[in-house]
Amino acid sequence: MKKRFAALLMALVLLCTTSIALADAADLPVHTLGSRTLETKLKGTDVVEAQALLATLGYYTGKLDGIYGSGTKSAVLQFQRRNGLHADGKIGPLTLDALQSSNAVGKADPDPFVTLMKGASGEKVKELQRELRSAYYYAGEIDGVFGADVERAVKWFQASAGLTVDGKVGKLTRNALFNRTAKIFNGGIPIRALSSGARGYDVYVLQQKLASLNYLTIAPSGYYGSDTVAAVKALQTANGLKADGKAGAVVRRLLWPTTVDSEEQKENMESGTPDDPYTDRTLRNGSYGKDVANMQMRLKAAGYLLGNADGIFGPKTKAAVIALQKDYGLKQDGVVGPQTWAIVKTLNVGNAEQDVVQPGQPSVGANVKRIEFGNTGAAVKKLQQQLIQLGYLAPGGDDGKFGNQTKKALERFQAANGLQVDGIAGTKTFVKLNEKLGVQWDIPVG
């Protein structure tokens, strides 16, 4: 650690002596590191400093050119995953603090998460508890203690994700939980068969759907209990199905039907998963349509695609998909299947260009409605539920009224995620909530 710290000081000394020359040579704007969140396409002397820090830790091997490109983003993603941070590829306050910490985990260091198990404690356990809570596997306190309740939650998650059920948070479990790459749901639609005793975000999604159809009267909790069994049975009975209370492929097709616009599209439609073909269709080179354009817009907003969101899946789109898959540790085949779709739907759409695929149809991210102090209603309640899931608002605080407690909780969330701390939920706040939750929630518009 002392050698690394000395190397870091040397890198910073060299940086101080060369940053002005770099700025002159590349016409880089001068920014102080930490004065803004760094992300794809930004340039400046603060980017040079960040690259130097990443290089010292072994994550960045490119030139200190002050340009936040794919190489810098890839290095940041690797650093975030190795240091227990939300992997969004951006350098905000939390990532910057970790980069500058003497306890920063370098690329060559032993994996610090292999031994995270019962008996552990500290900030990493708190972050684990927050992620488990946001995925509806854990409902206890965020106290930083890895006890029996946390171990049970980890085992529930591992079972639902198809991982080894040992209650230990190693590399595979952590990546699946923090980066949402496990095959649990596809864009919010459950993939696995659900039945009594199941837990998780996909259970919560099922309950929300049942509640919207007036089959479920309790608040969605993420636990498949007797009320959910009764609601599924009622749905099955009303639709002439065997009333066993289990939500398998037939129930999912009933709740999330897919319409086909034309015979040609029907012929081109491919199965989303072996278990259920009624999910987002697989996209690849040669595909076209509104779903391609939606996917392209998200890739553009995240800095992977520089071309137009024209609804045509060509070579540039394939290259962008491969870059995304590489960053998230997926198979790099350029095909947008269930796992890649799950990542695409978490991408920041706040800065997406407002392309319109068909006249009169607004694109993703348009007309976002702000929610602030004094507001009431369903949108406020959903915001409160999100803050509760992430541990910023106390359970039971989702009363649909934006008061002082909600404002304080939102400000804590904004401060922890490098956002402007104004207590107002706008586009950037909604997008960040989506990223932290690992799914694409509906953004209120109006």
Side-chain angles (χ1 to χ4, degrees):
M1 187 63 69
K2 290 183 178 179
K3 290 183 179 179
R4 178 189 297 162
F5 187 66
L8 176 59
L9 286 177
M10 182 176 293
L12 291 177
V13 169
L14 290 172
L15 175 64
C16 290
T17 61
T18 61
S19 61
I20 295 178
L22 278 169
D24 290 339
D27 195 23
L28 297 177
V30 178
H31 291 283
T32 302
L33 187 59
S35 63
R36 59 176 181 164
T37 295
L38 299 181
E39 55 187 303
T40 305
K41 298 182 182 179
L42 290 183
K43 299 179 181 180
T45 53
D46 50 351
V47 178
V48 179
E49 294 181 50
Q51 289 171 331
L53 289 169
L54 289 164
T56 301
L57 293 167
Y59 294 99
Y60 184 70
T61 57
K63 296 180 180 180
L64 304 184
D65 56 8
I67 302 173
Y68 204 113
S70 59
T72 304
K73 181 177 180 180
S74 178
V76 172
L77 284 167
Q78 293 178 55
F79 172 80
Q80 289 172 325
R81 290 174 186 141
R82 290 276 288 158
N83 284 269
L85 301 167
H86 176 61
D88 60 3
K90 302 176 184 179
I91 302 179
L94 292 180
T95 299
L96 180 58
D97 286 346
L99 273 172
Q100 296 177 325
S101 170
S102 59
N103 295 319
V105 178
K107 187 174 183 179
D109 290 344
D111 193 328
F113 307 115
V114 172
T115 57
L116 194 57
M117 63 182 74
K118 188 175 180 180
S121 61
E123 290 301 318
K124 286 185 173 61
V125 177
K126 283 187 177 181
E127 186 66 18
L128 170 65
Q129 290 171 321
R130 289 186 189 278
E131 294 293 331
L132 287 168
R133 175 181 282 183
S134 74
Y136 289 92
Y137 291 94
Y138 178 71
E141 295 183 8
I142 309 297
D143 57 7
V145 178
F146 198 128
D149 52 348
V150 176
E151 184 180 51
R152 281 194 300 272
V154 171
K155 287 182 177 180
W156 284 329
F157 172 75
Q158 289 172 326
S160 68
L163 301 170
T164 300
V165 182
D166 58 8
K168 301 176 182 179
V169 184
K171 186 175 182 179
L172 290 178
T173 298
R174 185 172 183 85
N175 284 345
L177 178 62
F178 280 71
N179 297 308
R180 299 293 196 269
T181 58
K183 295 181 179 179
I184 298 172
F185 59 87
N186 182 28
I189 299 176
I191 287 178
R192 61 177 175 140
L194 299 173
S195 58
S196 180
R199 296 173 183 268
Y201 179 75
D202 48 357
V203 176
Y204 179 82
V205 170
L206 171 68
Q207 292 172 324
Q208 276 194 316
K209 191 70 172 181
L210 291 169
S212 72
L213 298 173
N214 297 318
Y215 286 104
L216 185 68
T217 57
I218 65 167
S221 64
Y223 173 67
Y224 203 121
S226 57
D227 290 289
T228 305
V229 171
V232 172
K233 284 184 176 180
L235 171 72
Q236 291 169 323
T237 300
N239 289 274
L241 304 174
K242 178 184 177 181
D244 59 5
K246 299 177 181 179
V250 175
V251 169
R252 293 197 298 275
R253 288 197 294 270
L254 182 64
L255 292 173
W256 290 280
T258 300
T259 58
V260 178
D261 297 330
S262 65
E263 285 301 317
E264 184 177 5
Q265 182 180 347
K266 182 177 181 179
E267 292 176 2
N268 291 334
M269 182 169 287
E270 298 183 52
S271 172
T273 69
D275 181 53
D276 187 355
Y278 294 87
T279 53
D280 291 289
R281 69 171 177 138
T282 298
L283 303 178
R284 53 167 49 90
N285 194 24
S287 299
Y288 62 91
K290 289 185 289 185
D291 47 359
V292 175
N294 183 295
M295 180 266 294
Q296 289 173 321
M297 288 178 61
R298 295 179 183 278
L299 291 173
K300 286 182 65 176
Y304 289 99
L305 180 64
L306 301 179
N308 295 324
D310 54 9
I312 302 172
F313 198 126
K316 290 184 179 179
T317 302
K318 181 178 180 179
V321 171
I322 290 175
L324 173 77
Q325 292 170 329
K326 181 179 180 181
D327 282 346
Y328 284 88
L330 303 177
K331 180 181 179 181
Q332 297 167 41
D333 56 6
V335 177
V336 184
Q339 283 188 291
T340 302
W341 261 123
I343 296 299
V344 167
K345 290 193 174 185
T346 68
L347 296 177
N348 184 328
V349 297
N351 296 320
E353 291 184 16
Q354 300 305 306
D355 296 295
V356 178
V357 179
Q358 294 184 2
Q361 293 189 356
S363 57
V364 179
N367 304 317
V368 174
K369 179 180 179 181
R370 287 155 53 101
I371 300 178
E372 54 192 310
F373 185 84
N375 291 161
T376 59
V380 175
K381 187 176 181 69
K382 174 170 282 190
L383 171 64
Q384 292 170 326
Q385 290 172 342
Q386 292 173 315
L387 292 170
I388 290 172
Q389 291 167 49
L390 295 172
Y392 292 95
L393 183 64
D398 54 333
D399 57 4
K401 300 177 182 178
F402 200 125
N404 286 323
Q405 293 305 313
T406 301
K407 187 173 187 292
K408 290 179 181 178
L410 183 59
E411 288 174 344
R412 287 194 292 271
F413 171 79
Q414 290 172 327
N417 288 278
L419 301 170
Q420 180 181 349
V421 183
D422 56 8
I424 299 174
T427 304
K428 292 183 179 180
T429 297
F430 290 128
V431 166
K432 181 59 68 174
L433 283 167
N434 283 345
E435 291 177 355
K436 291 298 290 182
L437 289 166
V439 294
Q440 183 60 44
W441 287 67
D442 293 332
I443 294 179
V445 298

